[in-house]
Amino acid sequence: IFEQRKRAFQKRRDYLLPEFERLGLHVPVQPDGAFYIYADVSKTGMDSAKFSKCLLEQANIAAVPGLDFGLTHGTQMVRFSYATSLDRLHEAVDRMSRWLRA
């Protein structure tokens, strides 16, 4: 079961990495053995706190500002969990795409 879960997390991560880049959210370090991605949101013109708040309020997607995990790049990084189904991640990317284009 461990290997099955590991493959599921890899599949989710491998789906999100190019999607985030397509959305303009640079991921400087590919996660290895985690269930979250740190993405740089500075190109949006918002800091991590504002981005996370607006994303929740306007697109119904929860993400955590990087400041909650330390000061290094905390104002520009947002943490996104992929500990959910691939279908829900597809939906979240669609919503985030529409929100970022608005």
Side-chain angles (χ1 to χ4, degrees):
I1 193 165
F2 173 75
E3 286 301 318
Q4 181 183 9
R5 287 186 180 185
K6 182 179 170 185
R7 284 190 302 275
F9 277 104
Q10 287 173 337
K11 188 174 181 178
R12 296 171 197 164
R13 178 203 64 198
D14 292 347
Y15 164 70
L16 286 176
L17 288 172
E19 288 297 319
F20 278 19
E21 293 292 337
R22 180 181 66 80
L23 294 172
L25 307 177
H26 178 62
V27 179
V29 178
Q30 177 176 311
D32 186 31
F35 57 88
Y36 57 87
I37 291 175
Y38 271 121
D40 183 343
V41 300
S42 60
K43 288 186 179 179
T44 67
M46 293 180 263
D47 66 20
S48 64
K50 181 172 176 121
F51 182 93
S52 297
K53 183 178 185 217
C54 291
L55 185 64
L56 180 61
E57 291 174 350
Q58 299 170 18
N60 296 314
I61 298 170
V64 183
L67 282 172
D68 289 353
F69 300 97
L71 298 176
T72 306
H73 306 291
T75 60
Q76 71 191 56
M77 304 299 283
V78 172
R79 180 173 162 163
F80 295 88
S81 171
Y82 51 90
T84 189
S85 71
L86 194 53
D87 288 340
R88 293 195 71 184
L89 294 175
H90 283 276
E91 180 183 338
V93 167
D94 288 342
R95 281 195 258 149
M96 195 176 335
S97 179
R98 287 191 304 271
W99 174 69
L100 287 169
R101 287 190 309 235

